[in-house]
Amino acid sequence: MNRHGHLADFLQARRSRLRPEDVGLRTYGERRRVPGLRREELAMLAGISAPYYTRLEQGRSRNASREVLDAVASALRLDESERAHLHALARAPRRGGPGGRPRTEHVTPATRALLAAVQNTPALVMGRRSDVLAWNRPGHGLFAGHLDPDSPDDPGRRPNMARLVFLDAHTRDLYADWPAKARAVVGNLRLTAGRHPDDPLLAALIGELAVRSREFATMWADHRVLACDVADYEMRHPLVGTLTVTQQTLQSPQGRGPSLVVATTDGGSPSAAALALLAHTTAPREADRPRHGAETRTG
């Protein structure tokens, strides 16, 4: 589906969630054939003509001004992330020939240096499609200790966090409030799809998840947008028990490159002790050294 197909679906979904009483409109007890607001009601709230809004919602208007989009966003009561998503969907596509297969994402030396700098804090580098491009030892131990620690080094075997959350039993059990984590994954994928509507690998991932997970298909059809740059999660880790972590995502500019995801805890808390135990457990073991006096004596 192209960008304007996503725009039509997003506007219809958001309009259907608003009831007349939510925005101060009287219905006088009339029977309504559609859920939510009618197009003409939404257009009136946005201060634009009903025919123009209809063309916009049907994907037939591709030059909406920022002012019109902001008015529609206000009428739909969109939050900051949803408003940015609306602008991204309405942006006119770039002209040019068909693009080739997307390049394999990689980790820059600067990002690897940053990952090394937080070697005692669980962290991973995640691509825009939620592929794990790299992780440090605590990051591997916290998020996916059941997987091969070297798998991110091979583009063909890289773990994908969206797949893990929806399709992997270990990851599902890891989050005490799995639905909250799942909604965050879907919301972030929605944002990415809005920025990169012509990415075939992203479309393939979304299609795969929709087919293999009924829960993903339901959440995706909801058209909710969620930018989870900071979120608290209670995790039930098989090695160190229950702990609460704050997952922070440090985004690259405009979401065009990899992101660094780190997990922290409150200092001095039981969760901090659990993370310290995890860091100790996942620390590299020193190579066996010869014992003093074990050398062969001569003379």
Side-chain angles (χ1 to χ4, degrees), residues 2-251:
N2 62 28
R3 189 190 302 270
H4 293 286
H6 287 302
L7 172 63
D9 288 345
F10 178 68
L11 289 174
Q12 291 168 14
R14 302 308 296 179
R15 177 170 59 83
S16 69
R17 290 198 194 98
L18 280 179
R19 298 173 300 174
E21 53 267 33
D22 294 335
V23 294
L25 294 179
R26 294 185 179 181
T27 61
Y28 302 100
E30 62 184 295
R31 175 174 287 182
R32 302 172 70 87
R33 293 180 297 174
V34 296
L37 297 179
R38 299 183 176 120
R39 285 173 178 160
E40 57 268 25
E41 292 170 336
L42 197 285
M44 179 188 68
L45 292 171
I48 59 179
S49 72
Y52 180 81
Y53 176 76
T54 297
R55 292 196 302 272
L56 182 65
E57 189 175 283
Q58 292 177 343
R60 295 186 289 115
S61 178
R62 305 191 177 192
N63 58 351
S65 67
R66 176 170 289 275
E67 291 75 18
V68 166
L69 294 174
D70 282 337
V72 170
S74 297
L76 289 171
R77 299 189 171 185
L78 302 184
D79 62 24
E80 184 177 346
S81 297
E82 293 165 335
R83 185 181 295 258
H85 184 61
L86 173 63
H87 279 276
L89 292 178
R91 196 163 50 235
R94 298 177 181 176
R95 295 183 178 179
R101 185 175 178 83
R103 295 180 179 178
T104 301
E105 292 183 286
H106 65 280
V107 183
T108 65
T111 303
R112 286 200 180 277
L114 184 58
L115 188 62
V118 293
Q119 60 182 336
N120 293 323
T121 300
L124 58 84
V125 180
M126 193 163 64
R128 75 185 190 197
R129 305 176 198 94
S130 71
D131 292 319
V132 178
L133 310 183
W135 49 26
N136 59 15
R137 288 179 181 271
H140 166 251
L142 178 65
F143 293 110
H146 62 304
L147 300 182
D148 180 358
D150 297 326
S151 55
D153 298 333
D154 181 359
R157 296 194 304 125
R158 282 175 174 168
N160 180 277
M161 292 308 297
R163 284 195 187 94
L164 291 177
V165 167
F166 280 95
L167 305 178
D168 180 75
H170 173 94
T171 306
R172 189 183 186 107
D173 291 342
L174 196 59
Y175 290 91
D177 187 355
W178 179 85
K181 179 61 179 178
R183 287 191 296 270
V185 169
V186 173
N188 273 313
L189 279 179
R190 271 283 173 203
L191 286 172
T192 305
R195 297 186 186 112
H196 307 281
D198 301 318
D199 185 332
L201 296 182
L202 178 62
L205 171 66
I206 293 168
E208 175 194 348
L209 292 175
V211 169
R212 298 180 63 186
S213 169
R214 181 176 299 178
E215 290 155 314
F216 178 89
T218 299
M219 293 181 187
W220 186 256
D222 196 43
H223 283 270
R224 290 196 182 275
V225 175
L226 188 63
C228 286
D229 295 332
V230 181
D232 293 332
Y233 294 107
E234 180 180 324
M235 305 181 78
R236 298 173 296 199
H237 197 275
L239 292 181
V240 297
T242 300
L243 70 162
T244 299
V245 303
T246 300
Q247 291 186 21
Q248 301 183 61
T249 302
L250 308 179
Q251 298 278 0

